[in-house]
């Protein structure tokens, strides 16, 4: 694994953690723990599931694997946030 790959994965993990902090209103530690729990439940690597979460919350990119799995895990959270944003003044 190259330094660039590690750096990219770390950035994606940080972004995914930040997304969960924003959506859940939890600490970074709790958000990271949630990512780790999903890794344990799905068997998908941390960098891969983080990248999938970042992708499903941003612009569409069909080249990123595991988007369906990420969506299955966080669909209710994303839907609740979208509804909250639509109903806020």
């Amino acid at each position: 694994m190259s330094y660039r790959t590690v750096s990219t994965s770390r950035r994606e993990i940080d972004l995914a953690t930040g997304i969960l902090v924003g959506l859940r209103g939890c600490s970074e530690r709790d958000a990271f723990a949630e990512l780790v729990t999903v890794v344990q439940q799905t068997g998908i690597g941390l960098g891969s599931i983080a990248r999938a979460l970042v992708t499903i919350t941003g612009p569409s990119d069909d080249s990123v694997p595991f988007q369906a799995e990420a969506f299955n895990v966080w669909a209710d959270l994303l839907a609740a946030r979208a509804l909250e944003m639509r109903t806020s003044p």
Side-chain angles (χ1 to χ4, degrees), residues 37-58:
T37 298
V38 171
V39 167
Q40 293 168 343
Q41 292 171 344
T42 64
I44 298 169
L46 182 59
S48 295
I49 200 65
R51 180 181 218 195
L53 175 58
V54 169
T55 300
I56 66 170
T57 59

Side-chain angles (χ1 to χ4, degrees), residues 23-36:
L23 290 172
R24 294 214 183 273
C26 63
S27 69
E28 286 183 32
R29 184 180 194 151
D30 288 342
F32 184 78
E34 181 173 342
L35 287 171
V36 170

Side-chain angles (χ1 to χ4, degrees), residues 56-73:
I56 66 170
T57 59
S60 179
D61 182 353
D62 293 335
S63 69
V64 176
F66 307 115
Q67 290 182 60
E69 291 85 347
F71 187 78
N72 287 339
V73 172

